[in-house]
Amino acid sequence: MTSRREVPNEFRRRFGFALALVVALFSLTVVRLWHLQVSAGDEYRSLSEHNRIRLKRVRATRGTILDRNGDIVVDNRPSFDLVLVPEDAHDVPATIAVLTRLLGPEVGDLSAVVAAARNRPAFEDVVLVRDLDWERIVKIETHQFELPGVSVQVGPRRTYPFGQMAAHLLGYVGEVSQQEREQRRGYRLGDLIGKAGAERYWEDYLRGVDGGQQVEVDSVGRKLRVLSEVDETPGNSLVLTIDRDLQQTAEAAMEGHDGSIVALDARTGEILAMVSRPAFDPNVFARGIRLSEWKALVDDRKRPLNSKAVQGTYPPGSTYKVVMAAAALEEGVITPFTTIFCGGGLFFGNRTFRCWRPQGHGAVNVHEALVRSCDVFFYQVGQRLGVDTIAEYSHRFGLGAPTGITLEHESGGIIPSSAWKRQRFGEPWYPGETLSISIGQGYVTTTPLQMASVMATVANGGIVYKPRFVKRVERTDGAAVLEEQPEVVRDVGFKKSTLLQIRDALSDVVNSKRGTGSNAKLPGIEVGGKTGTAQASRAGGDKTSQKGWSREKRDHAWFIAFAPVDNPEIALVVLAEHSGQHGGTAAAPIARKVFARYFGIPDEDAAALKRTAGFVPLHDQYGAAIRLSALNEPYPDGGDADADGDTHGRN
Amino acid sequence: MRQFDRRLAYHFDGLLLVLTLLIIGGGLATIFSATEARVHTGFTNNPLVLRQAFYAGVGFLGMIAVVLVDYRRLERYAYVVYAVTLLLVLAVPLVGTVGGGARRWIDLGPVSIQPSELIKVSLVVALARYFHRSQATGDVRLVDALPAFVLLVVPGALILAQPDLGTVGVIALVAFSVLFYAGLRLRVFVMLAAVAALAVPLLWGHLKPYQQQRVQTFLSPEMDPLGAGYHVIQSKIAIGSGEFWGKGYLHGTQNKLNFIPEQHTDFIFSVFAEEWGFVGALVLLGLYAALVLRGLAVAHRSKDRFGALVAFGVVSIFFWQVVINVGMTSGILPVVGITLPFFSYGGSSLTTMMIAVGLMINVNMRRFLF
């Protein structure tokens, strides 16, 4: 118990003031209520019963998407939507009946749309039909008096003028889902949100801020006057690194194939073109995709919604030999002058690992082995390196992990190592498996984007850049909000001579008589590249006729390339999925078309060049000595000299 | 427990209890009306009325518990209770859940508590204890009041960060009311006002443009015609359209159409005023006024400082919240998240306020025991 402490007189004095304040403020409150409820009561009563004050949202225009030259790739256009305010319609079923009679059955079941919006406040707009055609708009307008609470509102609609072009990169928009609204603030039912690709990743920049109007409306929802309004803030524009021209060329070149093309600026990691086939039309999403359409896209076995460029993982086949050659030269297990004899196969363990060329390549050095894609040479190199060293060099190139491109669901591919296998299968690594790895088969898988990055790294002297497809974010007045810079992931740290050696060999792949990639030859521009044919199935057999095979079993055709060899600007990957043909046959000509466009050479000239006197490399470091060794090699006719892959003979 | 003094029962203040229960009853009826439409349209399927009634029961038990213990024994634990509630406020940013854009709740499974409601009462009791034992009471200099400022500023800063500007404002008003009653020199009030007047422009310059805009919107809702401004307009229409006699119970249209935001919490007064009109509003305000005046009388008649200050502080909570809430819904004050005591839906608010009434009854009951 504390001692009792008297209340000082000061309390008593201040009590009076408190009392006065209480009386004064309560009186003020009453006066205010009198004013609202009695003096101005009629006014407010009619506002609540007839003319109401509403908020009309003014949707922000989503930012446009432009290519690197400022040409539009994604735009907005006006869309006339039929809107119903249930509360103003008074008799909703009757109104719906009139509408159905006017518009015909094509617009679908309108009462179902209204039923779906049952849980929303009655004064909120329900969009009945999007994108009304002109005829129907006129019908609605002329029958306005029969249709209380119905109006036609104009709003921006996302449009992709080039349809399927770069669909996976651009992505698409859709109505915001319940889950998205819980996760991100500031989205309301019916708002659009980027669901995939650039639209999704750059959502916060593209979106803009909705505006709105406080309007007074009469009892059937007609606007009487605007009390106040807030202008919408349009979204920012996205300037891509994509070149629309090149993209369209690449799209056209892929016609008739599934797969992917990725073109990178080898000097910065900027993506110039990115194709994935089969694709989808983002416009379908913009207008609101139907369930049946969605199901068809999802159930399609060719997975049109997936971007094969970043989500597709494939054995790299012989294109992997570029990584192998670099690793071997760096580790010193071979020198440029080391020759290995290829007799058409290698006996290892108790089985034979074959070379694609049954009669063998004779004694070849690394240059020759790359040019002619000799398997046996790389079997041997792989054995000398061992799986973990191969893995280490692959990781340096950025394989086995996502590149970090700002697209969803990027795959990292697989670069096997002994530790990986123990963890994955609980088994030790078998030396024989190293041989499969060495020619890009077995457990190794890569994405087209990763291989494009490998090619860019070889081309630019050993820098791995993070692939990007956005150059800038701009406000509508053109001021830059964000300026993206090239991002160096790492320097692979190879000797200059290693990369020169490889570049030189890759040039000969395309330009020498015996190269496997002669289909990519260009007049006046020196192209370097590597072909690859990756087995999709374990089925052995005759490589030249997979016509009769089921699609899933057919080989993938790869071509990875860069140009010009002396001063590389562009790195390119073409993957023709399950084409059943060789990389030099199916993929190299596609690459040639893209290069031709990039360098502004008419493709007819390029096509005519095929295996005639084309570009003759002038700088030939080791050339003479090396190439003499292969001069007496008869060149098989037909020009499709490439084939590879091991046929794991189970005998 | 010592033998229960029969004089206590004799002096039990029935009026305070009856007033409180009347207001709570009106609140329950109005919450029912405000949420009924939404239950029908599938907006919500838990009858909030039942939850509120449950909380009223909990609050009633709390109130009885508080009444049974001599308030002078409560005085001993004043700082402990304060410390506990402060810890809860502190815990909000760490384990709190977000609602309405601010982190204010701590989720405890079936119930969630809002520590910023609890701190209002525990701060009053802590301040009362401080001045009860202070020699300076009756003529308080700035130096004497410094610990009291600390008691206010610590939770104030934490709640400001939530951000809950309205609650901070109420807590500050309540604390200054207690300081005023405790006898803080008027010179100090004048001085503080002058310092504040000087500090505002300086602070204003330091705010980022978007923060300045937020403050401006807060002070004049018209600047935000799509948000607060719109809510105020709809709330005014609701109140005004009630006219003199009201539209009748369950016949409010603004509310049925969901025009009013927060219609069962912060804006519940507009629902009530629309249905019961000026007459109803006058009755409700009369009940509040009676509660406040009765509370002031309790403070005035109290025989010791602690009781007087507790009663005065509690009354100031009710008073400021009622005035601010009605002022906000009728469009003469900024839109702040302040509940109408005993009326708004909200468990923490209701139970805390009932416990506060219990404190007043307690002080009133035991004033003859000295």
Side-chain angles (χ1 to χ4, degrees):
Chain A
M1 267 308 173
T2 48
S3 63
R4 182 170 158 233
R5 301 186 74 112
E6 282 291 344
V7 177
N9 283 333
E10 188 63 22
F11 281 32
R12 314 243 174 272
R13 255 184 285 153
R14 298 196 169 195
F15 176 78
F17 178 83
L19 202 61
L21 186 75
V22 167
V23 172
L25 288 188
F26 267 111
S27 310
L28 263 180
T29 310
V30 171
V31 167
R32 172 67 180 171
L33 291 174
W34 174 268
H35 167 78
L36 283 181
Q37 301 189 279
V38 182
S39 316
D42 309 350
E43 237 172 277
Y44 285 118
R45 177 65 67 112
S46 85
L47 271 176
S48 84
E49 280 169 11
H50 312 297
N51 299 354
R52 305 189 183 285
I53 291 170
R54 293 272 175 76
L55 281 188
K56 289 263 180 259
R57 278 162 69 85
V58 177
R59 278 198 197 285
T61 309
R62 202 172 169 84
T64 51
I65 302 182
L66 314 166
D67 85 338
R68 65 186 304 126
N69 308 314
D71 293 329
I72 292 269
V73 241
V74 182
D75 204 354
N76 303 293
R77 62 171 175 78
S79 149
F80 294 88
D81 300 337
L82 186 66
V83 170
L84 172 78
V85 180
E87 194 215 332
D88 297 334
H90 304 306
D91 184 357
V92 175
T95 309
I96 295 288
V98 175
L99 277 174
T100 312
R101 186 166 51 78
L102 284 175
L103 302 178
E106 298 87 67
V107 294
D109 186 3
L110 299 182
S111 47
V113 181
V114 176
R118 201 180 49 239
N119 290 350
R120 291 164 56 188
F123 59 88
E124 271 195 15
D125 294 351
V126 180
V127 178
L128 295 179
V129 186
R130 294 187 187 278
D131 240 356
L132 279 178
D133 53 83
W134 191 241
E135 246 173 83
R136 290 199 168 95
I137 295 171
V138 172
K139 272 187 183 157
I140 299 288
E141 295 293 342
T142 49
H143 292 78
Q144 191 62 63
F145 61 95
E146 295 172 58
L147 296 165
V150 173
S151 60
V152 175
Q153 286 183 4
V154 63
R157 156 71 68 85
R158 205 61 164 162
T159 176
Y160 303 82
F162 300 93
Q164 299 197 349
M165 185 190 86
H168 302 91
L169 184 104
L170 301 173
Y172 55 88
V173 294
E175 282 203 7
V176 64
S177 70
Q178 179 72 32
Q179 193 189 357
E180 284 163 335
R181 276 192 302 147
E182 282 163 11
Q183 282 167 353
R184 313 174 61 137
R185 287 181 48 204
Y187 286 85
R188 300 156 50 115
L189 209 65
D191 280 359
L192 289 183
I193 187 171
K195 295 273 186 186
E199 294 272 33
R200 172 175 168 165
Y201 192 87
W202 299 85
E203 167 75 17
D204 294 345
Y205 290 99
L206 288 165
R207 188 178 168 210
V209 183
D210 284 357
Q213 297 177 318
Q214 255 187 36
V215 292
E216 194 174 322
V217 295
D218 65 9
S219 57
V220 293
R222 275 189 293 262
K223 197 187 286 189
L224 299 176
R225 61 201 174 104
V226 176
L227 301 172
S228 66
E229 62 184 321
V230 175
D231 289 339
E232 51 120 5
T233 315
N236 300 307
S237 296
L238 215 53
V239 181
L240 303 179
T241 61
I242 299 287
D243 183 314
R244 196 176 77 191
D245 252 9
L246 197 68
Q247 177 75 31
Q248 284 177 294
T249 306
E251 299 271 358
M254 268 311 262
E255 215 47 64
H257 292 278
D258 295 335
S260 170
I261 296 180
V262 180
L264 285 176
D265 186 323
R267 298 159 300 187
T268 57
E270 291 183 349
I271 293 171
L272 302 171
M274 190 184 251
V275 178
S276 172
R277 289 299 180 89
F280 58 91
D281 182 358
N283 287 307
V284 171
F285 291 91
R287 66 156 159 77
I289 190 163
R290 294 187 196 93
L291 192 63
S292 57
E293 289 170 329
W294 171 250
K295 270 193 76 71
L297 279 173
V298 171
D299 294 344
D300 188 332
R301 284 179 54 197
K302 290 190 175 183
R303 301 258 172 266
L305 286 174
N306 291 7
S307 170
K308 297 193 160 49
V310 299
Q311 297 172 42
T313 52
Y314 307 89
S318 293
T319 58
Y320 197 57
K321 291 173 182 170
V322 173
V323 176
M324 292 295 298
L329 288 167
E330 276 302 303
E331 278 296 293
V333 299
I334 57 166
T335 70
F337 304 101
T338 309
T339 56
I340 291 173
F341 181 78
C342 165
L346 179 69
F347 193 70
F348 185 84
N350 53 2
R351 38 184 282 215
T352 305
F353 287 81
R354 294 191 198 135
C355 187
W356 66 268
R357 195 165 186 267
Q359 59 272 50
H361 289 98
V364 287
N365 60 13
V366 65
H367 182 101
E368 205 63 16
L370 279 170
V371 172
R372 302 168 65 194
S373 207
C374 171
D375 293 337
V376 170
F377 182 90
F378 286 100
Y379 290 147
Q380 297 268 25
V381 164
Q383 259 182 287
R384 294 182 192 182
L385 284 168
V387 64
D388 291 341
T389 312
I390 297 173
E392 185 208 324
Y393 277 92
S394 304
H395 289 313
R396 273 206 234 173
F397 273 109
L399 296 173
T403 61
I405 190 174
T406 56
L407 286 172
E408 61 274 10
H409 311 309
E410 194 196 353
S411 309
I414 294 171
I415 295 298
S417 64
S418 50
W420 170 85
K421 192 173 177 204
R422 188 162 296 285
Q423 197 196 333
R424 180 95 168 60
F425 298 106
E427 285 181 8
W429 184 264
Y430 303 118
E433 293 174 316
T434 312
L435 271 61
S436 308
I437 300 299
S438 305
I439 58 160
Q441 293 290 158
Y443 298 118
V444 191
T445 59
T446 58
T447 65
L449 178 64
Q450 285 176 328
M451 289 318 285
S453 182
V454 165
M455 201 71 271
T457 303
V458 169
N460 68 26
I463 308 290
V464 180
Y465 287 102
K466 181 174 162 184
R468 293 173 300 114
F469 58 85
V470 170
K471 232 181 157 57
R472 240 191 343 273
V473 180
E474 285 180 354
R475 278 212 310 266
T476 37
D477 60 8
V481 177
L482 182 93
E483 196 73 61
E484 288 269 287
Q485 297 302 335
E487 201 179 314
V488 175
V489 179
R490 74 177 73 82
D491 186 332
V492 291
F494 295 167
K495 295 194 290 280
K496 221 178 159 75
S497 62
T498 299
L499 291 170
L500 278 172
Q501 179 69 29
I502 291 171
R503 289 218 291 251
D504 186 52
L506 297 188
S507 171
D508 274 358
V509 168
V510 175
N511 299 300
S512 79
K513 272 178 69 181
R514 227 173 287 92
T516 54
S518 52
N519 276 331
K521 216 182 281 188
L522 275 187
I525 298 286
E526 188 183 2
V527 175
K530 181 73 194 83
T531 55
T533 307
Q535 281 189 308
S537 68
R538 291 261 163 181
D542 184 8
K543 282 249 180 252
T544 49
S545 62
Q546 295 190 356
K547 288 262 184 294
W549 294 19
S550 68
R551 185 180 164 276
E552 284 75 26
K553 286 199 176 135
R554 292 185 202 153
D555 293 346
H556 306 301
W558 281 97
F559 188 62
I560 69 175
F562 64 101
V565 172
D566 281 341
N567 187 11
E569 295 175 25
I570 177 172
L572 182 71
V573 163
V574 176
L575 168 75
E577 190 186 47
H578 297 302
S579 70
Q581 293 172 294
H582 303 314
T585 319
I590 297 175
R592 187 193 65 233
K593 286 178 186 159
V594 178
F595 279 137
R597 179 78 210 188
Y598 181 86
F599 292 108
I601 299 164
D603 190 46
E604 304 76 71
D605 301 6
L609 180 81
K610 189 183 156 190
R611 293 197 43 242
T612 58
F615 184 88
V616 179
L618 301 173
H619 69 104
D620 200 344
Q621 291 177 298
Y622 315 95
I626 295 165
R627 292 183 187 184
L628 282 176
S629 68
L631 272 182
N632 41 22
E633 183 74 40
Y635 190 80
D637 256 357
D640 303 331
D642 171 63
D644 41 45
D646 71 317
T647 49
H648 298 275
R650 292 177 200 80
N651 37 6
Chain B
M1 191 92 202
R2 290 160 307 145
Q3 214 210 322
F4 192 70
D5 196 325
R6 262 182 312 150
R7 280 180 305 169
L8 287 182
Y10 178 76
H11 289 295
F12 181 86
D13 192 338
L15 181 62
L16 278 174
L17 182 65
V18 169
L19 287 172
T20 306
L21 293 179
L22 278 174
I23 298 173
I24 290 173
L28 287 172
T30 312
I31 289 170
F32 178 76
S33 172
T35 54
E36 182 229 18
R38 306 206 304 169
V39 171
H40 278 311
T41 52
F43 257 109
T44 167
N45 50 11
N46 59 0
L48 296 178
V49 182
L50 297 181
R51 300 188 66 163
Q52 182 80 344
F54 167 76
Y55 285 123
V58 173
F60 190 75
L61 292 177
M63 189 159 105
I64 299 298
V66 169
V67 167
L68 288 177
V69 184
D70 190 331
Y71 71 89
R72 282 160 300 172
R73 295 183 68 177
L74 290 175
E75 189 240 0
R76 267 190 262 169
Y77 302 112
Y79 287 165
V80 177
V81 173
Y82 172 83
V84 170
T85 48
L86 190 61
L87 279 176
L88 287 174
V89 173
L90 196 61
V92 168
L94 309 175
V95 297
T97 49
V98 178
R103 211 178 268 273
R104 295 175 192 175
W105 284 269
I106 293 180
D107 207 344
L108 298 174
V111 292
S112 56
I113 52 173
Q114 209 178 333
S116 54
E117 290 290 331
L118 309 182
I119 198 93
K120 287 174 190 166
V121 178
S122 67
L123 174 66
V124 163
V125 178
L127 287 173
R129 172 184 164 143
Y130 174 73
F131 286 113
H132 179 68
R133 302 200 173 189
S134 152
Q135 293 303 329
T137 309
D139 179 28
V140 182
R141 292 166 303 163
L142 182 59
V143 179
D144 306 321
L146 280 180
F149 283 121
V150 173
L151 288 175
L152 160 68
V153 168
V154 175
L158 288 171
I159 295 168
L160 198 58
Q162 286 184 3
D164 189 350
L165 230 59
T167 302
V168 174
V170 167
I171 290 177
L173 279 171
V174 168
F176 278 109
S177 303
V178 174
L179 280 167
F180 167 82
Y181 200 57
L184 184 64
R185 291 178 177 174
L186 296 177
R187 265 180 289 169
V188 179
F189 274 107
V190 172
M191 193 184 77
L192 286 173
V195 168
L198 287 172
V200 164
L202 285 174
L203 286 173
W204 184 251
H206 276 289
L207 290 177
K208 295 190 177 73
Y210 81 92
Q211 289 171 315
Q212 291 183 348
Q213 201 185 342
R214 229 184 253 176
V215 174
Q216 286 170 327
T217 309
F218 172 78
L219 292 175
S220 61
E222 303 78 58
M223 289 188 58
D224 182 14
L226 309 182
Y230 178 72
H231 299 336
V232 169
I233 285 189
Q234 295 296 357
S235 173
K236 275 160 63 177
I237 292 174
I239 295 172
S241 66
E243 296 192 79
F244 194 78
W245 295 109
K247 293 179 184 174
Y249 184 56
L250 298 182
H251 288 88
T253 54
Q254 290 292 100
N255 150 42
K256 292 290 171 288
L257 295 170
N258 285 302
F259 272 135
I260 311 171
E262 301 284 342
Q263 54 197 7
H264 57 294
T265 55
D266 298 350
F267 279 84
I268 193 154
F269 183 78
S270 15
V271 177
F272 179 84
E274 183 184 20
E275 295 186 344
W276 300 94
F278 181 70
V279 174
L282 213 53
V283 170
L284 182 62
L285 284 177
L287 290 174
Y288 278 120
L291 187 70
V292 168
L293 292 173
R294 182 74 179 180
L296 279 180
V298 171
H300 195 56
R301 287 189 307 210
S302 172
K303 288 287 185 289
D304 69 336
R305 294 178 198 175
F306 181 70
L309 288 168
V310 164
F312 193 86
V314 165
V315 161
S316 76
I317 299 176
F318 299 157
F319 172 69
W320 290 119
Q321 290 208 180
V322 170
V323 168
I324 290 171
N325 182 282
V326 176
M328 145 183 124
T329 50
S330 60
I332 44 176
L333 287 178
V335 177
V336 291
I338 289 298
T339 56
L340 192 57
F342 311 110
F343 218 77
S344 290
Y345 173 79
S348 297
S349 166
L350 182 61
T351 45
T352 313
M353 293 293 167
M354 289 181 80
I355 286 169
V357 172
L359 283 172
M360 279 206 300
I361 293 175
N362 192 339
V363 171
N364 196 35
M365 231 161 70
R366 294 188 168 82
R367 66 177 192 270
F368 304 105
L369 294 185
F370 303 116

